[in-house]
Amino acid sequence: MKHILFTVILLSLGGCASWPDEGQGGWAEKYQNYPLTDEQHEMIYDTQETVVLSEFQHHVLKLNLLKAQGIKQCMPAQLLKAQIYENRIRRLIAAQMWSDAEHDLLIHYHGLNQLAKHFETVNAMSQCAGGTQSEATMTASLKESNKRAFKQ
């Protein structure tokens, strides 16, 4: 038993006896083209800045969609909170604080998803948002055309 334990300890302390030549194997094989040329830099689109900017535009569109659906009539305080957070992220992007903006975008993403689900539930139960402005305009024009049709 002592011999087996001694052999295991000896083998674990011995480590690897053969190493590749310098510049061969490991990370050296995977990254042969570094440093990148100017053309290669232009081909990389998934930089932190472009990801943050595209995600931010996505969140702005999502909040605008909620506004168009009438969230202001149902949940004005929650809308204001989301707008304040959106302005905070806009300031971080303007200051080029990409990692902070990315962190806040993650929080804002979850907040917007929760807000959208909550709004959908509240609106389904209470109809607080009513119709959107385009629906109201269409309803008014349909009523007018129906009045004219019945008069004739």
Side-chain angles (χ1 to χ4, degrees), residues 7-71:
T7 307
V8 169
I9 291 175
L10 186 62
L11 289 175
S12 65
L13 291 177
C16 185
S18 63
W19 294 93
D21 294 335
E22 188 174 332
Q24 302 291 323
W27 290 103
E29 290 180 2
K30 294 186 183 213
Y31 294 105
Q32 294 175 0
N33 296 331
Y34 281 92
L36 294 176
T37 64
D38 290 336
E39 292 176 9
Q40 288 172 326
H41 273 294
E42 291 173 6
M43 292 173 52
I44 298 175
Y45 297 107
D46 289 337
T47 61
Q48 189 176 19
E49 296 87 13
T50 57
V51 171
V52 167
L53 290 172
S54 64
E55 285 296 315
F56 178 68
Q57 290 302 320
H58 175 76
H59 295 320
V60 168
L61 289 174
K62 189 169 187 173
L63 190 58
N64 287 340
L65 176 66
L66 289 172
K67 288 181 197 175
Q69 291 174 345
I71 194 169

Side-chain angles (χ1 to χ4, degrees), residues 131-143:
T132 60
Q133 189 174 13
S134 61
E135 288 176 347
T137 306
M138 287 173 47
T139 305
S141 64
L142 283 174
K143 285 181 182 178

